[in-house]
Amino acid sequence: MNDDLRYPVGRFVAPTAVSAADRKGFIDVITELPARMRAAVAGLDEAQLDTPYRPDGWTVRQVVHHVPDSHMNAYVRFRLALTEDNPVIRPYHEARWAELPDARGGPVAMSLNLLDALHARWVLLLGLMRDTDFVRTYRHPEQPGRSIPLSEVLAMYAWHSRHHLAHITRLRERMGW
């Protein structure tokens, strides 16, 4: 952890190699996220949920809604890479998604329930993947000329899980909630 409010667990650094033990650790993080996210927001009132985790940042509510939005996209990207040869994935405007009315004001319970189901399905898939599946790739249009292996994508979403969880837990620590 560090004192950077935007990147409380540091910026993502893609690993140069990912071992089977590394993958297990990343999958464990993804497995644990729904329960940890529920615990992170437990007992927060509406005003607390509508508090930004940093100046000019998303609110806790927006973060909670963002995570399953993002992880849904990740899950679909995994499935595309497993069923197509190096597909080009479709990016989305996450900041715009976070500004939609459901993300700005919807009950967090819906996104927590979605996260439970989504991660159960994603973790099942991850656990059934073979070593050779993790070398399969996709291409992101914002990274031309680069094919991204699923092992790196797995590492990124484990980081993403810790990153947004820390936004909430660090805010709670700072505010004494």
Side-chain angles (χ1 to χ4, degrees), residues 1 8-9 29 32-41 63 67 159-172:
M1 295 283 182
V9 299
V29 170
E32 296 165 3
L33 180 65
R36 295 187 73 196
M37 185 67 75
R38 278 185 188 283
V41 299
V63 171
V67 172
W159 169 86
H160 188 260
S161 298
R162 293 188 330 271
H163 169 71
H164 285 303
L165 185 65
H167 283 150
I168 298 168
T169 58
R170 297 287 298 271
L171 174 65
R172 287 191 79 148

Side-chain angles (χ1 to χ4, degrees), residues 23 129-136:
R23 285 195 314 261
M129 288 172 60
R130 302 173 309 245
D131 291 346
T132 54
D133 292 329
F134 286 98
V135 299
R136 295 190 62 88

Side-chain angles (χ1 to χ4, degrees), residues 6 14 19 34 37 39 49 52 54 58 65 72 77 93 95 103 117 132 139-141 150 166 169-170 173:
R6 187 166 184 195
S19 69
M37 185 67 75
L49 289 170
R54 68 176 172 88
W58 290 341
H65 291 310
M72 237 183 317
R77 291 169 180 178
H93 297 285
T132 54
R139 290 172 289 145
H140 195 296
L150 290 180
T169 58
R170 297 287 298 271
E173 290 168 11

Side-chain angles (χ1 to χ4, degrees), residues 81-104:
L82 290 168
T83 58
E84 300 176 21
D85 292 327
N86 199 29
V88 176
I89 57 99
R90 186 180 189 295
Y92 71 104
H93 297 285
E94 65 180 38
R96 291 182 190 170
W97 284 37
E99 293 301 324
L100 290 172
D102 63 325
R104 290 196 61 80

Side-chain angles (χ1 to χ4, degrees), residues 144-164:
R146 181 166 185 263
S147 294
I148 306 167
L150 290 180
S151 60
E152 180 181 324
V153 178
L154 177 64
M156 181 176 61
Y157 281 94
W159 169 86
H160 188 260
S161 298
R162 293 188 330 271
H163 169 71
H164 285 303

Side-chain angles (χ1 to χ4, degrees), residues 43-120:
L44 294 181
D45 62 30
E46 294 297 307
Q48 291 166 325
L49 289 170
D50 291 328
T51 301
Y53 73 87
R54 68 176 172 88
D56 300 318
W58 290 341
T59 66
V60 171
R61 183 184 312 274
Q62 286 172 295
V63 171
V64 172
H65 291 310
H66 162 73
V67 172
D69 287 346
S70 173
H71 291 196
M72 237 183 317
N73 278 281
Y75 174 69
V76 168
R77 291 169 180 178
F78 264 79
R79 295 183 70 81
L80 288 169
L82 290 168
T83 58
E84 300 176 21
D85 292 327
N86 199 29
V88 176
I89 57 99
R90 186 180 189 295
Y92 71 104
H93 297 285
E94 65 180 38
R96 291 182 190 170
W97 284 37
E99 293 301 324
L100 290 172
D102 63 325
R104 290 196 61 80
V108 295
M110 292 186 305
S111 283
L112 293 170
N113 291 338
L114 177 57
L115 195 64
D116 287 336
L118 173 62
H119 275 232

